[in-house]
Amino acid sequence: MLQSLGVSGILAVVFMAISLVGMIICSKKQNTSAIAKPIAVLLMVVVIGCAVTLLIKTGVIGNQATNALMANELKYSKSSYFILGKQLAEKMPNAKTLLLIDTVNPNDKRSGEMMQAFKDGAAGKLVFSAEITPMPEGIKPDPTGMMMPLSELLKAKDFNTVISKYPACNLIVSFIGLPRDIENLNVWSMPSDKQPKIALLNASTYDLKNAIKTGAVIAAVTMNPAAKFDEKPAPKDVKDAFDVRYIMLTPDNVDKMAEGNKNMFAPDKVLKK
């Protein structure tokens, strides 16, 4: 049976099993840890992807159904990129912007479409200085997507090295999250006239309430606690699609969001001074 699935099918079974275990663990911790739900959602996406792979391998569904499902999910993802671009263009017009991105699989057109959605949202009001993929020392980029998420591999020193090379950029947009040792990021202790603002997508915001409240993190897209995951077509309006899945955390609403969503944030983490 397994031999008939091929290598990709076997990998799908393995990743699905691991993800299901992870979802069970996260479900037990979602009432005590705010990060558990976003992780569970990501694992669910992995499970769906693996299930689709297996259904294709076993001939249960064809490419048409698969493409429709992936296209619908892409609409949701693109809405988050577009709305973040729009938000930053409104709050920091003409900002010199450094984009921190993941390794790009040349066969994956979705990454390019999502980044284009971000730029479309910015509508020419941001100045893009560079797109950089920070890499930990000794680790080479893996465009296949089989490498651990960069947010799990990168340390603050890796971010500090990249950011130091672009002192003219007053806006840093990270699509790969922030390192776990965020307290060691140099950006927190920079003089106000040299401190770039940070914007985040695909990041854990659990430890960032204070950073958002003070404006060091000017905007962060995170999962809507009331997000609905089903096969219904994504709303045609990009803002409506965004609202189904995501919320935008800003200095203006972070306290209200924290009050309305218990365990969304950890107790304030002391940042480097």
Side-chain angles (χ1 to χ4, degrees):
M1 173 64 177
L2 288 177
Q3 291 180 344
S4 65
L5 293 176
V7 175
S8 61
I10 293 173
L11 288 175
V13 172
V14 173
F15 281 114
M16 178 182 285
I18 295 173
S19 299
L20 285 172
V21 172
M23 287 177 63
I24 293 172
I25 295 173
C26 289
S27 67
K28 293 180 178 180
K29 295 185 177 182
Q30 64 180 349
N31 292 327
T32 58
S33 174
I35 197 175
K37 184 170 182 177
I39 292 177
V41 170
L42 290 176
L43 291 174
M44 183 182 70
V45 172
V46 173
V47 170
I48 292 174
C50 291
V52 170
T53 298
L54 292 174
L55 290 173
I56 293 173
K57 286 288 183 179
T58 55
V60 175
I61 62 174
N63 289 333
Q64 186 173 357
T66 303
N67 291 340
L69 178 62
M70 294 178 64
N72 198 47
E73 289 302 313
L74 181 59
K75 287 181 180 179
Y76 281 117
S77 295
K78 288 169 65 174
S79 74
S80 66
Y81 281 73
F82 183 93
I83 294 300
L84 179 60
K86 186 173 185 292
Q87 172 79 4
L88 297 176
E90 292 175 353
K91 296 297 182 180
M92 295 188 65
N94 301 315
K96 294 182 179 179
T97 307
L98 172 63
L99 305 179
L100 302 183
I101 63 174
D102 206 340
T103 52
V104 178
N105 185 337
N107 296 319
D108 182 11
K109 297 180 180 180
R110 293 174 299 176
S111 297
E113 289 187 38
M114 289 188 288
M115 189 56 62
Q116 187 58 51
F118 173 77
K119 294 177 180 179
D120 289 343
K125 297 179 182 178
L126 297 177
V127 179
F128 298 112
S129 300
E131 294 184 15
I132 300 296
T133 300
M135 292 301 298
E137 185 177 351
I139 297 181
K140 296 181 179 180
D142 180 6
T144 66
M146 299 303 291
M147 186 174 68
M148 286 181 63
L150 280 179
S151 58
E152 297 295 325
L153 296 173
L154 290 166
K155 302 295 184 182
K157 64 179 182 180
D158 302 312
F159 275 75
N160 293 337
T161 297
V162 170
I163 293 172
S164 67
K165 295 179 180 179
Y166 297 89
C169 290
N170 58 336
L171 175 61
I172 299 170
V173 186
S174 175
F175 298 96
I176 56 175
L178 293 176
R180 289 184 177 274
D181 58 336
I182 59 170
E183 66 275 12
N184 294 321
L185 286 173
N186 291 340
V187 66
W188 309 130
S189 57
M190 289 181 179
S192 57
D193 61 331
K194 295 183 179 180
Q195 184 186 56
K197 298 295 184 181
I198 294 177
L200 301 168
L201 197 156
N202 303 321
S204 168
T205 56
Y206 186 61
D207 292 314
L208 295 176
K209 179 185 175 185
N210 189 57
I212 298 171
K213 185 174 181 178
T214 59
V217 174
I218 191 172
V221 174
T222 191
M223 197 62 64
N224 187 336
K228 297 179 181 179
F229 294 86
D230 50 39
E231 297 181 6
K232 293 181 180 179
K236 292 182 179 181
D237 182 82
V238 66
K239 183 60 168 62
D240 290 343
F242 177 89
D243 290 339
V244 170
R245 294 282 180 88
Y246 309 97
I247 55 175
M248 178 82 69
L249 297 173
T250 69
D252 296 329
N253 70 4
V254 67
D255 281 335
K256 182 178 180 181
M257 288 294 181
E259 291 173 3
N261 298 282
K262 186 180 179 181
N263 299 320
M264 175 175 276
F265 299 104
D268 289 342
K269 192 168 186 175
V270 178
L271 300 178
K272 184 179 178 180
K273 299 296 184 182

